[in-house]
Amino acid sequence: MKKHLLICFTLATLIFLFGCTEQKQTVSYQELRTSLLSLNNGLSKPSDDEISVLPFTEGYLQLRHALLSSELNEPDVMAHKELDYLRIQERYPERYLPWPAYISVLENVKNKVSSNELGKWLAFVEVKLKEADESNIRLNRLERDTLMLQLESSDIDAPSRSALLAYLSNYKPRAMLGLHQLPNGKEWYQSKLNFYGAIQDSPTKVLAMLSKFDDQNSKASVLKVMPDTQQPYILELLPANCQRIAGLNWRDGFINVPSTVAKCTKAIEQHKALIVTLMAVDLGIHYQGWSQKQAFVALNSKLALNEQQAQQLIANLVYFPATIFAAYPHFLKP
């Protein structure tokens, strides 16, 4: 309890200071990471810590902005790049989609918030989805179906659960799976390519480079590592003894993906052909606006996959855009 109160007090102090002065507060990397871990407790792996605020509510957004506006007292360049990346992400429409479909928010917050609070949050999710729809921001079919499954399997006794489920039953998802179809989606995707792959070139130029990489590598025939939707697939390809570098982003499990991959080049070398294929499909989904069927065809033309493997790979690329490009700098080396 003392730890929870201390973290809540720290967050409240930061937002107060941010609102009362134009001077940015300087924090250590560990202080910022600890505060972000606490803020995003409902969006990360279940823990014993209490939930201070539910995802993407107004209080959450204010606290997140206050934290991300801090100056970081940290010599590591990649830590600063990650913080800059998270600041850029605030510009894009994820706040209108307050329940990331691959996150089991209901399980994460179970027994940590009251039924009344959770019921209000589910009602909030429905309101935000309706607001998003008015701005042409919609869930894709995969996200809609996943949220419905979570609601159907939940034992939460709240009218807002049934109301949200009914709303999603009649919901018209966007036709494509990727960021391409969202407002400023291409710019959003480019910001991710910049961070994960250190890519300043346009996706069109990257596609041209990938065709060269493809010619240099033999075709992968067997998928040895099964994908899931708990972490970016590039991290699943790394061996357990490959050190995971601490990060600031809840979406990546608080792992700095580019820094981690940069230290595990031997693993990248072993999976070159697979990674090149996944990069091309990632671009297809998020930049070119591929359908799920097009993604299936592209994967099966290069890899020997069963239907479940293909579905899980596509879901991973949908939920973790551009993260596979953390391996891209390795391909540029002589």
Side-chain angles (χ1 to χ4, degrees):
M1 176 63 78
K2 287 183 179 179
K3 177 184 176 184
H4 171 66
L5 290 174
L6 178 60
I7 292 173
C8 286
F9 176 76
T10 301
L11 292 173
T13 301
L14 277 170
I15 195 169
F16 173 77
L17 290 170
F18 178 79
C20 293
T21 178
E22 293 183 2
Q23 184 177 358
K24 294 183 178 180
Q25 301 305 305
T26 300
V27 296
S28 70
Y29 178 82
Q30 192 54 50
E31 286 172 334
L32 180 59
R33 188 170 186 269
T34 299
S35 294
L36 287 169
L37 277 163
S38 178
L39 177 64
N40 292 285
N41 216 1
L43 292 169
S44 30
K45 293 180 180 178
S47 70
D48 294 330
D49 292 341
E50 295 182 42
I51 304 294
S52 56
V53 62
L54 286 166
F56 292 98
T57 55
E58 196 59 38
Y60 171 93
L61 293 175
Q62 289 179 1
L63 289 168
R64 183 182 70 172
H65 184 71
L67 289 170
L68 297 183
S69 298
S70 306
E71 290 289 350
L72 191 58
N73 181 18
E74 167 63 45
D76 182 63
V77 173
M78 274 307 301
H80 287 273
K81 287 184 177 180
E82 185 173 31
L83 180 55
D84 288 340
Y85 165 71
L86 292 177
R87 289 167 178 161
I88 291 170
Q89 298 311 290
E90 288 188 284
R91 305 173 190 170
Y92 295 104
E94 70 169 9
R95 63 186 179 279
Y96 289 103
L97 306 172
W99 186 352
Y102 63 98
I103 302 294
S104 302
V105 175
L106 300 184
E107 286 298 314
N108 290 354
V109 305
K110 194 173 184 179
N111 301 322
K112 297 176 186 176
V113 299
S114 68
S115 298
N116 183 50
E117 285 180 284
L118 192 49
K120 286 181 179 178
W121 184 76
L122 290 173
F124 162 78
V125 170
E126 183 178 345
V127 168
K128 295 304 291 184
L129 288 177
K130 289 177 178 177
E131 290 178 1
D133 191 48
E134 293 173 0
S135 300
N136 202 31
I137 301 168
R138 292 190 294 274
L139 299 166
N140 62 43
R141 180 181 52 77
L142 181 62
E143 292 167 330
R144 191 275 309 269
D145 292 350
T146 303
L147 288 182
M148 289 184 65
L149 283 173
Q150 290 194 52
L151 287 164
E152 287 169 347
S153 61
S154 172
D155 58 0
I156 295 170
D157 184 18
S160 55
R161 169 184 165 273
S162 300
L164 179 56
L165 190 53
Y167 173 72
L168 290 172
S169 298
N170 297 307
Y171 184 90
K172 184 179 180 181
R174 67 181 191 267
M176 305 303 178
L177 295 175
L179 299 181
H180 170 275
Q181 209 173 6
L182 292 170
N184 300 315
K186 287 189 175 182
E187 292 81 0
W188 195 1
Y189 184 58
Q190 182 72 59
S191 73
K192 292 178 181 293
L193 288 175
N194 293 349
F195 172 66
Y196 289 107
I199 296 170
Q200 302 302 321
D201 292 330
S202 70
T204 302
K205 289 186 178 180
V206 175
L207 277 169
M209 288 297 295
L210 290 182
S211 65
K212 295 179 182 178
F213 299 155
D214 197 27
D215 292 339
Q216 297 168 5
N217 294 284
S218 59
K219 293 183 180 180
S221 57
V222 180
L223 193 69
K224 296 180 180 179
V225 182
M226 277 295 289
D228 62 26
T229 56
Q230 303 307 302
Q231 65 176 338
Y233 188 60
I234 190 68
L235 294 179
E236 295 184 60
L237 294 176
L238 306 182
N241 63 356
C242 198
Q243 182 188 3
R244 271 58 173 172
I245 308 300
L248 303 173
N249 190 1
W250 66 265
R251 286 188 177 274
D252 299 334
F254 291 98
I255 294 170
N256 189 307
V257 175
S259 294
T260 298
V261 174
K263 292 184 178 295
C264 302
T265 53
K266 287 185 179 179
I268 300 306
E269 193 67 29
Q270 294 172 3
H271 299 288
K272 265 190 165 183
L274 169 62
I275 291 170
V276 169
T277 298
L278 295 182
M279 286 178 179
V281 175
D282 194 277
L283 280 163
I285 291 171
H286 293 291
Y287 183 75
Q288 296 176 297
W290 282 6
S291 66
Q292 186 170 9
K293 183 177 181 180
Q294 286 174 296
F296 268 121
V297 170
L299 285 173
N300 286 319
S301 69
K302 296 289 186 180
L303 308 172
L305 303 174
N306 59 43
E307 185 174 350
Q308 182 188 17
Q309 289 173 323
Q311 286 178 340
Q312 290 183 219
L313 268 177
I314 291 170
N316 193 282
L317 296 176
V318 168
Y319 289 137
F320 301 103
T323 51
I324 193 69
F325 281 91
Y328 187 79
H330 179 72
F331 287 79
L332 301 177
K333 294 178 181 178

